[in-house]
């Protein structure tokens, strides 16, 4: 009991809170347990430790590096991470981004004045940075520690079981264990099973003729509902990746496997014909928006596990950093108040949902839902060609991607794209008829 009371900065006047604390505290070994060392888990760990919380991190992999931590980010992510654009943590910076059709070559250029700066992280260095910050503030990391389930006492989550027989206990358990979160599953949260984006990324060396200042997004019939990207790390090293959402099983089955699409790109582009695949990473990103509920008594989700991902582009790094910071701030409050009840943990969720980033996720989630319904019954590539063919200007495209488009933009779109919008409406009606809701 005394072991945990050092956190109480004020006398507890509320007898309910004291009762709660007495019931809960004796068996707890940590304030916070975090499952997963992706961007969400690492940021939560770094910030929790910085707030002075006794923090334990469990990761199933052998080490924190060598995993995909997203790729393309803007200034926002650098601000959250508190690193400078000129620092060793940045792998590259782009002056423009080009969206192009693989089938026809039509394209649209989005320059820096619209998008802000875009960067490629040096993933390993960023992961090490967050880990080292957490370690220096006293966090403990256990690798090769696969979380199997949460441990419950009554309705409260009081820790996790990992590696079959090990157990760790904390006042707050954080599921930052990705799209197929065990914490989420076993704590009883529900996830939409649709709109998952599957992705692969090759790191290619020995490329030639690459302009390191320009990043590319490609659409095309082989790509399907998603995009292929080329992010240079230098003039000879690039990341070539593909992400795709299955709009329906039939549509998915008609498409070539994603790795084949990347290999075809390599063969058909002189810059990559002699390139070597130095590494392959992959993953799944939820694109349906924030899940209906991600907090409960003694437990909270963060990052992909909570659907905190910008849906249209499948960007999760910035939103994970943001969510990790909000969560750690609330974890500190919970510890100070000695209250980890459902109502108390829920304050993290409420605070998070009120943020600008969360509302942009909700907007892009709705947009993605509309796009996927459209794609079930129409040709998404034909639509993309209209966009790339100059009907949509780069500013509007950027607003739509960021989830910040206003009413006037939508009004303009409706008049400009009436035929497409009509198709979309028909797509909706058919989708509703098929899915029955
Ligand atoms: C191919 C690809 C490209 C992407 N490109 C971008 C991009 O350009 N920009 C961008 O912003 N975002 C991008 N994203 C999305 C971004 O990477 C994710 O949204 C982000 O990594 C999610 O972070 P997370 O911490 O929630 O989960 P993850 O990064 O998935 O991390 C989860 C961690 O939990 C661990 N784990 C899982 N299960 C367990 C368990 N049972 N026990 C213990 N540990 C466990 C995993 O090993 C992993 O370390 C991309 C994603 C993919 C797949």
């Amino acid at each position: 009991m005394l072991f945990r009371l050092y956190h109480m900065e004020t006398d507890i006047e509320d007898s309910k809170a004291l009762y709660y604390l007495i019931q809960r505290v004796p068996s707890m070994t940590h304030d916070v347990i975090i499952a997963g060392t992706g961007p969400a888990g690492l940021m939560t760990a770094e910030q929790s430790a910085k707030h002075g919380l006794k923090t334990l991190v469990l990761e199933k992999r052998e080490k924190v590096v060598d995993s995909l931590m997203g790729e393309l980010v803007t200034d926002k992510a650098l601000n959250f991470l508190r690193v400078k654009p000129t620092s060793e943590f940045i792998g590259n910076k782009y002056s423009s981004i080009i969206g192009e059709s693989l089938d026809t070559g039509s394209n649209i250029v989005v320059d820096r004045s619209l998008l802000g700066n875009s960067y490629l992280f040096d993933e390993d260095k960023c992961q090490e940075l967050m880990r080292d910050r957490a370690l220096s503030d006293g966090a403990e990391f256990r690798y090769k520690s696969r979380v199997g389930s949460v441990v419950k006492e009554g309705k409260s989550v009081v820790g996790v079981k990992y590696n079959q027989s090990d157990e760790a206990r904390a006042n707050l358990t954080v599921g930052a264990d990705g799209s197929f979160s065990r914490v989420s599953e076993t704590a009883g949260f529900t996830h939409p099973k649709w709109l998952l984006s599957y992705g692969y990324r090759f790191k290619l060396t020995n490329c030639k003729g690459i302009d390191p200042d320009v990043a590319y997004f490609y659409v095309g019939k082989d790509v399907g509902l998603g995009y292929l990207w080329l992010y240079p790390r230098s003039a000879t090293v690039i990341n070539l990746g593909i992400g795709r959402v299955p709009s329906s099983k039939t549509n998915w089955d008609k498409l070539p496997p994603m790795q084949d699409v990347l290999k075809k790109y390599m063969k058909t582009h002189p810059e990559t014909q002699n390139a070597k695949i130095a590494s392959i990473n992959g993953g799944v990103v939820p694109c349906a928006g924030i899940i209906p509920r991600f907090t409960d008594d003694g437990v909270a989700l963060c990052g992909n596990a909570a659907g905190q991902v910008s849906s249209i582009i499948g960007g999760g790094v910035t939103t994970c950093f943001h969510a990790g910071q909000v969560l750690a701030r609330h974890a500190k409050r919970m510890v100070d108040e000695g209250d980890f009840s459902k109502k108390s943990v829920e304050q993290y969720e409420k605070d998070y949902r009120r943020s600008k980033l969360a509302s942009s996720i909700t907007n892009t989630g709705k947009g993605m839902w509309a796009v996927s319904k459209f794609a079930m019954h129409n040709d998404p590539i034909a639509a993309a060609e209209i966009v790339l063919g100059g009907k949509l200007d780069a500013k509007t495209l950027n607003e739509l991607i960021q989830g910040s488009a206003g009413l006037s933009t939508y009004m303009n779109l409706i008049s400009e794209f009436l035929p497409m919008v009509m198709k979309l409406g028909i797509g909706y009606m058919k989708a509703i008829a098929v899915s029955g809701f």
Side-chain angles (χ1 to χ4, degrees):
M1 169 83 177
L2 279 177
F3 155 71
R4 293 281 285 93
L5 281 181
Y6 69 94
H7 283 298
M8 307 299 290
E9 280 170 3
T10 53
D11 288 343
I12 300 169
E13 284 168 14
D14 180 356
S15 59
K16 248 169 106 186
L18 181 58
Y19 172 79
Y20 186 84
L21 196 68
I22 293 168
Q23 292 299 303
R24 192 179 177 93
V25 159
S27 57
M28 300 302 174
T29 55
H30 292 82
D31 292 324
V32 190
I33 289 176
I34 298 158
T37 62
L42 283 171
M43 183 55 84
T44 312
E46 180 205 292
Q47 293 292 309
S48 299
K50 190 171 163 222
H51 288 310
L53 309 187
K54 198 158 188 271
T55 306
L56 172 65
V57 186
L58 301 172
E59 167 57 56
K60 68 179 181 184
R61 291 180 293 113
E62 284 183 11
K63 49 189 173 178
V64 82
V65 292
D66 291 342
S67 76
L68 192 148
M69 201 195 76
E71 307 206 275
L72 197 76
V73 291
T74 61
D75 290 299
K76 266 195 206 126
L78 275 61
N79 292 340
F80 281 124
L81 196 56
R82 306 185 312 284
V83 295
K84 292 208 159 50
T86 48
S87 67
E88 62 189 297
F89 305 105
I90 306 304
N92 199 11
K93 180 176 175 177
Y94 303 113
S95 54
S96 64
I97 295 186
I98 297 182
E100 192 167 305
S101 162
L102 281 172
D103 305 323
T104 63
S106 54
N107 63 63
I108 186 168
V109 180
V110 183
D111 71 23
R112 243 198 318 222
S113 61
L114 290 166
L115 199 70
N117 294 313
S118 321
Y119 307 91
L120 194 67
F121 269 143
D122 184 313
E123 292 157 294
D124 285 359
K125 285 189 180 147
C126 291
Q127 286 157 341
E128 283 170 342
L129 173 72
M130 287 189 279
R131 177 203 60 193
D132 293 347
R133 283 173 176 168
L135 282 173
S136 71
D137 283 324
E140 183 190 345
F141 282 71
R142 292 183 199 159
Y143 300 101
K144 296 194 206 165
S145 300
R146 181 184 288 272
V147 171
S149 69
V150 296
V151 175
K152 278 190 170 180
E153 276 178 7
K155 285 185 174 167
S156 312
V157 171
V158 293
V160 291
K161 272 207 160 33
Y162 64 101
N163 293 348
Q164 314 275 352
S165 55
D166 291 327
E167 193 173 299
R169 291 190 163 223
N171 285 311
L172 182 68
T173 297
V174 173
D177 47 345
S179 302
F180 301 111
S181 166
R182 292 299 302 153
V183 172
S184 173
E185 174 97 28
T186 57
F189 295 112
T190 50
H191 280 254
K193 293 277 182 288
W194 38 277
L195 279 185
L196 290 171
S197 169
Y198 296 79
Y200 272 109
R201 180 191 73 187
F202 290 173
K203 180 180 167 188
L204 300 180
T205 54
N206 209 31
C207 305
K208 61 168 192 216
I210 297 285
D211 179 352
D213 294 336
V214 184
Y216 285 86
F217 286 89
Y218 294 98
V219 295
K221 35 179 204 319
D222 284 351
V223 177
L225 187 58
Y227 57 87
L228 185 148
W229 63 87
L230 186 161
Y231 302 152
R233 290 174 183 241
S234 68
T236 55
V237 181
I238 63 166
N239 290 353
L240 189 71
I242 180 169
R244 176 194 280 171
V245 175
S247 58
S248 71
K249 189 169 178 336
T250 330
N251 288 358
W252 182 272
D253 288 346
K254 279 187 213 150
L255 295 165
M258 284 188 286
Q259 293 211 22
D260 291 359
V261 183
L262 293 181
K263 285 179 184 155
K264 183 173 169 191
Y265 181 97
M266 288 170 67
K267 264 194 207 143
T268 51
H269 289 76
E271 297 87 349
T272 50
Q273 262 161 11
N274 297 315
K276 294 197 167 41
I277 301 175
S279 69
I280 303 178
N281 283 102
V284 175
V285 182
C287 288
I290 303 165
I291 64 173
R293 193 167 59 86
F294 54 89
T295 54
D296 209 337
D297 195 325
V299 63
L301 304 178
C302 190
N304 275 10
Q308 292 161 333
V309 176
S310 179
S311 311
I312 295 273
I313 48 166
V317 175
T318 309
T319 49
C320 285
F321 285 168
H322 166 245
Q325 291 192 359
V326 178
L327 175 52
R329 210 169 54 233
H330 279 276
K332 163 77 172 140
R333 172 193 52 77
M334 290 177 224
V335 169
D336 287 346
E337 293 171 356
D339 186 357
F340 305 89
S341 63
K342 180 177 176 176
K343 205 169 161 201
S344 177
V345 186
E346 202 176 35
Q347 285 187 43
Y348 149 59
E349 178 159 350
K350 285 189 174 156
D351 198 9
Y352 175 79
R353 285 190 193 274
R354 274 195 294 265
S355 68
K356 219 171 147 193
L357 274 180
S359 70
S360 103
I361 290 176
T362 305
N363 289 342
T364 58
K366 285 180 195 153
M368 194 60 211
W369 190 79
V371 168
S372 78
K373 294 301 172 211
F374 175 81
M376 264 174 90
H377 302 287
N378 298 289
D379 181 356
I381 307 307
E385 289 287 353
I386 297 175
V387 170
L388 293 170
K391 287 257 178 172
L392 191 69
D393 64 89
K395 180 172 171 291
T396 311
L397 182 62
N398 186 46
E399 284 176 8
L400 292 171
I401 288 172
Q402 306 282 338
S404 65
L407 188 64
S408 61
T409 302
Y410 284 111
M411 294 307 285
N412 284 343
L413 281 178
I414 285 176
S415 53
E416 276 275 326
F417 290 96
L418 202 54
M420 208 169 110
V421 172
M422 294 287 287
K423 275 187 166 185
L424 186 65
I426 293 164
Y428 263 126
M429 300 299 283
K430 284 187 186 165
I432 287 165
V434 169
S435 58
F437 67 90

